[in-house]
Amino acid sequence: MKNYIWIVVLLAMGFNAKAQENVLSKNEAITLALEQNFGIKVAENTVEIADNNQDILNSGFLPTLTGTANASFAEDNNTIEFPGQVDDNGNPRPDVEINNAETKRYGAGFNLNYTLFDGLGRTYNYKRLKEQYQLTELQARETIQSTILQLLSIYFEVARLSENEYAQKEALEVSKDRIERAQYAFEYGQNTQLDVLNAEVDVTNDSIILLNTQQLLQNTKRDLNVVLNQDLMVDYEVDTLINFIPMLEIQAMIDDVSLNNLAILQTERNLAINEYDIKVSKSGYLPVIGLTGSYGWNLNQNPASAFFPGTLNNNQNFTVGAGFTWNLFDGGNTITRVRNAKIVYENQELLKKQVELEVARDIQNALETYENRLTIYEIQEKAVITNQNNFERSREQYQLGRITSIQFRQAQINLLTAQTTKNLAKYDAKLAELQLLDLTGQLLNVDF
């Protein structure tokens, strides 16, 4: 009995704490994920890199300019001797000393190179980078869509467990009421101690089930916080209202699957990239024409010597040139690259057909699964109504003493099972709808 009291106290504390929690709507959760999720941030950075790569600065269309500079300094101390030589007066010619003779040299230059024509290789590579950027955008969108699908799956699991928690709280309240009635009946001699003990056992079992559900609910909320990149201790309630998209709208999405399915769109972008790869490889058959220009400046300062005066040489030069290169035969490398690029293109065409077939299969499977789960949900809704009516009748009969506590307990268990099964069916149907939206590429275009 003491254990039962402690369980009830703990549950009451938990109930009061939860009453102060905020409600996190589905759209608010999606907004948080788009702003905070690590995977989405990485995907956005990857798109930014692809955007930089498709810029004109990475196209090869701009010229290159390099600058060079140099400087040197030398200082010499020389003594020049004239052994055996005499001057005009017949005296030995004296030695000549040159101290601190400085030699300075400076130079600077610029070299400009510009490719006028490279067989259109730059043009096709630039277009290829544009396609690569679009492919990266699709890959980022796939990451975002997968993250939102994961987010909503966890969100709806939190909602399911929250509804289960509510149903189990009601079941616990019914069991607590039953134990009070059993205690009063025992005191007035209307039943035995066994009825009281059975009621206490049922309260204990219901309390344990509720505690386990609450623990699982808290774990799932922490999973949701990880996806949202929030503090793990943040707690909230979620919206348990579920709206299903009309079947006519879903059918319209399925009809446009070739325009929105991410797998199909990515194969199309890869196909365009492979087509440009062929053209880039073929550019090796054509010549390369380029322009070159250079400017140079040199300053040489030489010191005076015994025989020559010091000199200062200031030189500037400017040159412009054009180059023409045609690799008439490169050993077959270009031919091999073109052949291989064509094979890769053919493989990509085959892959596209395979992806289209697989997507059609997946959508058909997802649609049938969705319709089946909707039907199950409708059946479970009716089952809840039936079990609710049966439970109310059983409670009336139990209070009148016409059925046993075991029969009443069975009606209570049947109702709880029907409620939790209905919750599972409802969220299973919603998850099936999400899978279908993901396949049609419309997951980010609907309002939840």
Side-chain angles (χ1 to χ4, degrees):
M1 188 68 180
K2 291 182 179 180
N3 291 335
Y4 157 69
I5 294 175
W6 277 111
I7 289 174
V8 172
V9 170
L10 289 173
L11 289 175
M13 293 173 61
F15 297 162
N16 292 332
K18 290 180 181 297
Q20 305 300 323
E21 295 170 358
N22 297 322
V23 176
L24 177 69
S25 70
K26 293 179 280 290
N27 289 331
E28 288 173 344
I30 292 174
T31 301
L32 276 175
L34 292 175
E35 294 175 352
Q36 303 293 337
N37 181 264
F38 291 116
I40 292 178
K41 287 184 177 181
V42 171
E44 290 173 347
N45 289 337
T46 304
V47 172
E48 187 174 352
I49 292 173
D51 190 23
N52 292 334
N53 289 337
Q54 69 158 352
D55 192 83
I56 189 68
L57 297 175
N58 191 46
S59 65
F61 281 108
L62 301 180
T64 61
L65 179 65
T66 57
T68 60
N70 61 81
S72 64
F73 173 83
E75 182 178 279
D76 296 325
N77 296 315
N78 299 319
T79 300
I80 303 174
E81 299 179 354
F82 303 94
Q85 297 185 21
V86 296
D87 57 17
D88 295 339
N89 298 322
N91 296 320
R93 189 171 180 176
D95 297 340
V96 177
E97 293 187 358
I98 301 176
N99 296 320
N100 301 322
E102 296 180 350
T103 301
K104 300 178 181 179
R105 292 183 174 86
Y106 304 98
F110 295 95
N111 294 297
L112 178 70
N113 290 279
Y114 182 64
T115 301
L116 291 174
F117 180 77
D118 67 343
L120 299 177
R122 292 177 304 176
T123 302
Y124 292 129
N125 188 62
Y126 185 56
K127 292 180 179 180
R128 183 187 186 281
L129 291 174
K130 294 288 186 182
E131 292 291 341
Q132 185 65 50
Y133 171 73
Q134 294 184 27
L135 176 62
T136 305
E137 278 191 322
L138 290 173
Q139 292 169 343
R141 179 180 160 191
E142 182 179 29
T143 299
I144 294 172
Q145 194 163 291
S146 299
T147 302
I148 297 304
L149 180 61
Q150 178 190 17
L151 164 69
L152 291 174
S153 298
I154 299 175
Y155 184 95
F156 288 131
E157 179 63 10
V158 173
R160 184 184 73 84
L161 291 172
S162 298
E163 290 201 78
N164 285 356
E165 179 190 35
Y166 179 78
Q168 289 163 3
K169 285 179 181 178
E170 289 188 328
L172 179 59
E173 289 300 320
V174 171
S175 297
K176 289 162 61 178
D177 180 70
R178 187 174 130 230
I179 199 174
E180 291 180 1
R181 289 179 175 275
Q183 187 67 43
Y184 289 146
F186 174 71
E187 291 175 356
Y188 287 99
Q190 296 178 354
N191 59 16
T192 64
Q193 182 69 30
L194 181 60
D195 289 331
V196 176
L197 294 176
N198 285 336
E200 290 179 353
V201 169
D202 291 338
V203 167
T204 301
N205 291 335
D206 289 345
S207 301
I208 292 173
I209 292 173
L210 179 56
L211 285 174
N212 288 335
T213 299
Q214 290 177 330
Q215 180 61 59
L216 184 57
L217 176 60
Q218 291 303 315
N219 292 345
T220 309
K221 285 183 178 181
R222 281 188 280 270
D223 292 338
L224 187 58
N225 282 330
V226 170
V227 178
L228 298 176
N229 188 17
Q230 298 292 302
D231 190 311
L232 296 180
M233 301 308 295
V234 174
D235 205 355
Y236 39 74
E237 295 290 345
V238 297
D239 183 8
T240 58
L241 179 63
I242 295 295
N243 295 316
F244 293 99
I245 299 175
M247 192 58 68
L248 286 177
E249 292 184 20
I250 289 181
Q251 190 59 54
M253 295 176 186
I254 294 175
D255 293 339
D256 294 335
V257 67
S258 60
L259 302 177
N260 298 296
N261 179 267
L262 293 178
I264 294 177
L265 293 177
Q266 288 183 58
T267 58
E268 291 175 350
R269 296 279 70 78
N270 279 320
L271 203 59
I273 290 172
N274 294 144
E275 185 176 3
Y276 285 125
D277 285 339
I278 296 175
K279 294 179 179 179
V280 171
S281 299
K282 286 183 176 179
S283 67
Y285 291 133
L286 300 176
V288 177
I289 302 174
L291 291 177
T292 59
S294 65
Y295 168 79
W297 169 77
N298 292 283
L299 177 65
N300 296 326
Q301 181 179 344
N302 298 309
S305 66
F307 305 102
F308 300 99
T311 61
L312 180 64
N313 183 17
N314 191 344
N315 180 45
Q316 299 184 51
N317 63 79
F318 179 77
T319 60
V320 176
F324 179 89
T325 304
W326 196 343
N327 196 345
L328 298 177
F329 184 70
D330 61 356
N333 291 331
T334 300
I335 296 175
T336 302
R337 286 197 300 270
V338 172
R339 288 176 177 174
N340 290 340
K342 289 181 177 179
I343 295 174
V344 172
Y345 182 82
E346 292 175 1
N347 287 342
Q348 191 62 39
E349 284 185 318
L350 296 173
L351 179 60
K352 181 183 176 182
K353 293 179 181 179
Q354 178 183 354
V355 168
E356 289 174 341
L357 184 61
E358 291 175 348
V359 168
R361 176 205 61 194
D362 293 342
I363 285 182
Q364 189 62 37
N365 290 344
L367 179 60
E368 292 183 2
T369 300
Y370 176 55
E371 293 174 337
N372 182 60
R373 290 184 178 179
L374 275 180
T375 302
I376 294 174
Y377 172 52
E378 293 172 356
I379 295 173
Q380 292 298 336
E381 279 188 313
K382 295 177 181 178
V384 169
I385 295 175
T386 300
N387 281 278
Q388 182 70 45
N389 293 333
N390 179 64
F391 172 74
E392 295 298 337
R393 293 287 300 274
S394 298
R395 179 156 57 181
E396 293 175 0
Q397 297 296 314
Y398 173 69
Q399 291 174 352
L400 294 174
R402 295 176 181 175
I403 63 174
T404 65
S405 61
I406 296 177
Q407 292 173 313
F408 175 65
R409 175 63 176 177
Q410 187 59 51
Q412 181 188 13
I413 293 175
N414 290 343
L415 175 59
L416 180 60
T417 301
Q419 289 173 331
T420 56
T421 304
K422 184 207 72 171
N423 293 339
L424 179 61
K426 178 172 69 171
Y427 292 107
D428 276 351
K430 190 60 182 179
L431 291 177
E433 183 186 82
L434 294 178
Q435 294 287 347
L436 192 55
L437 293 174
D438 183 45
L439 288 170
T440 60
Q442 297 289 348
L443 184 62
L444 302 179
N445 301 326
V446 296
D447 187 8
F448 293 100

